[in-house]
């Protein structure tokens, strides 16, 4: 199942067409994607039985908004791809390095981002969306806790991120618009191998990041197991799983986002999100 939010309503998407969940279920299912995530297996079972003619709304990608608009918790993982750890000057970590993006930064897939003062960088990431309340789940059953996968950008203002000793990441990664996700939620069964997806970022058409998610040091099930060993995970929680090599601040010379840039973040089998950057208002 592919689930998005179109003009404020949850929709099931098939190709270029969508079915409005509330209308097509004759009111039995809600329009709020957070409520659908609270009862995800019911949503999936219902969508599996939808007839083709229910998909009667053309999907305008620009009209899609965040498929998870109000996550309770947003986890993010640093240095989870060996080449990115190396370019950042670190040995591969032995434990996942976890920080948060504060949930207010979460936005939809097609946005315009006003650049704050500083050095704003890109990080394309696979995002796992939790589909049930989960505590202390084992790695072998952790995929069952995942409702869906989606594409995310862990936009990062590096001056704020690295300020202080020791540095603390979360504020520099939480400016307005710094957590775009989408275009839709894709259930793992839609993908040939959810552990091995091509992932890329393109800046003004040039590929700046490119890898496969199987390169992760801590794959999705291990991240879910380790996080849920510490605290409960809730439906709609987001896990940004780390970025491949090719971020701007490790380029020589470093490169940061500027007024007029267009960034496309793409993952095989899920889709792409697109951000435009504008100079901050003085
Ligand atoms: Zn990141």
């Amino acid at each position: 199942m592919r689930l998005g939010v179109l003009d404020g309503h949850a929709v099931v998407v098939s190709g270029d067409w969508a079915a409005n969940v509330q209308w097509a279920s004759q009111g039995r299912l809600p329009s709020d994607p957070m409520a659908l995530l609270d009862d995800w297996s019911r949503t999936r079972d219902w969508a599996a039985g939808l007839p083709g003619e229910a998909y009667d709304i053309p999907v305008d990608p620009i009209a899609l908004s965040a498929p998870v608009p109000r996550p309770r918790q947003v986890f993010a993982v640093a240095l989870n791809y060996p080449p990115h750890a190396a370019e950042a000057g670190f040995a591969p970590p032995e434990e996942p390095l976890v920080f948060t993006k504060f949930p207010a930064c979460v936005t939809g897939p097609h946005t315009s981002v006003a650049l704050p003062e500083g050095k704003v960088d890109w990080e394309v990431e696979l995002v796992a969306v939790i589909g049930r309340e989960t505590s202390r789940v084992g790695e072998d059953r952790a995929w069952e806790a995942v409702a869906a996968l989606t594409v995310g950008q862990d936009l990062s203002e590096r001056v704020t991120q690295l300020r202080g000793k020791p540095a603390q990441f979360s504020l520099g990664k939480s400016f307005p618009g710094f957590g775009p996700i989408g275009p839709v939620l894709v259930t793992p069964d839609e993908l040939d191998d959810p552990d091995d997806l091509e992932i890329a970022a393109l800046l003004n058409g040039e590929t700046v990041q490119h890898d496969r998610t199987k390169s992760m040091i801590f794959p999705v099930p291990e991240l879910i197991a380790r996080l849920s060993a510490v605290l409960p995970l809730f439906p709609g929680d987001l896990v940004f799983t780390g970025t491949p090599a090719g971020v701007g601040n490790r380029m020589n010379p470093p490169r940061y986002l500027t007024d007029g840039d267009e960034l496309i973040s793409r993952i095989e089998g899920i889709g792409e999100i697109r951000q435009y950057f504008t100079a901050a208002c003085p």
Side-chain angles (χ1 to χ4, degrees):
M1 177 179 66
R2 306 172 81 85
L3 188 109
V5 176
L6 193 61
D7 296 322
H9 302 280
V11 293
V12 181
V13 176
S14 176
D16 296 331
W17 293 86
N20 179 302
V21 173
Q22 191 172 29
W23 299 344
S25 69
Q26 294 167 324
R28 281 178 290 127
L29 290 175
S31 197
D32 179 359
M34 302 308 299
L36 294 171
L37 281 158
D38 279 335
D39 203 349
W40 193 243
S41 56
R42 183 180 181 217
T43 306
R44 283 182 65 166
D45 290 349
W46 169 79
L50 260 187
E53 61 265 28
Y55 295 90
D56 56 357
I57 307 166
V59 176
D60 173 5
I62 306 294
L64 290 166
S65 54
V68 185
R70 302 182 308 282
R72 272 175 275 201
Q73 308 186 93
V74 180
F75 303 93
V77 180
L79 307 180
N80 200 22
Y81 287 76
H84 175 57
E87 74 177 351
F90 292 96
E94 289 174 12
E95 297 282 326
L97 302 170
V98 180
F99 56 94
T100 189
K101 291 174 79 71
F102 293 104
C105 76
V106 172
T107 66
H110 286 78
T111 57
S112 195
V113 181
L115 291 162
E117 202 178 310
K119 299 172 175 175
V120 179
D121 204 346
W122 54 86
E123 298 190 357
V124 63
E125 307 203 5
L126 177 72
V127 176
V129 181
I130 301 299
R132 62 173 68 161
E133 190 166 336
T134 300
S135 291
R136 294 183 289 278
V137 69
E139 247 176 83
D140 54 330
R141 303 203 63 179
W143 269 117
E144 296 171 26
V146 177
L149 299 172
T150 196
V151 184
Q153 251 298 333
D154 176 17
L155 292 169
S156 305
E157 195 285 291
R158 300 299 189 194
V159 176
T160 307
Q161 178 190 340
L162 301 173
R163 185 179 287 148
K165 276 193 171 61
Q168 41 89 25
F169 280 17
S170 299
L171 285 176
K173 287 166 172 279
S174 299
F175 283 89
F178 270 30
I181 57 169
V184 292
L185 305 184
V186 178
T187 51
D189 64 293
E190 293 267 328
L191 303 162
D192 290 338
D193 182 355
D195 287 298
D196 182 19
L197 305 169
E198 187 176 20
I199 179 168
L202 292 85
L203 179 57
N204 303 324
E206 175 196 344
T207 300
V208 287
Q209 294 187 279
H210 184 221
D211 204 333
R212 301 194 67 87
T213 58
K214 72 171 179 204
S215 306
M216 285 182 196
I217 297 166
F218 304 102
V220 170
E222 188 170 358
L223 291 175
I224 304 280
R226 284 176 176 257
L227 291 169
S228 77
V230 176
L231 75 173
L233 309 181
F234 298 105
D237 283 357
L238 305 180
V239 183
F240 281 70
T241 59
T243 200
V247 299
N249 73 333
R250 299 301 170 187
M251 290 182 170
N252 187 13
R255 185 168 164 191
Y256 299 104
L257 293 164
T258 59
D259 187 23
D261 279 346
E262 180 200 56
L263 180 65
I264 296 175
S265 308
R266 186 178 284 164
I267 298 179
E268 174 186 11
I270 301 175
E272 64 180 39
I273 62 175
R274 196 177 286 242
Q275 273 59 55
Y276 297 93
F277 295 89
T278 60
C281 300

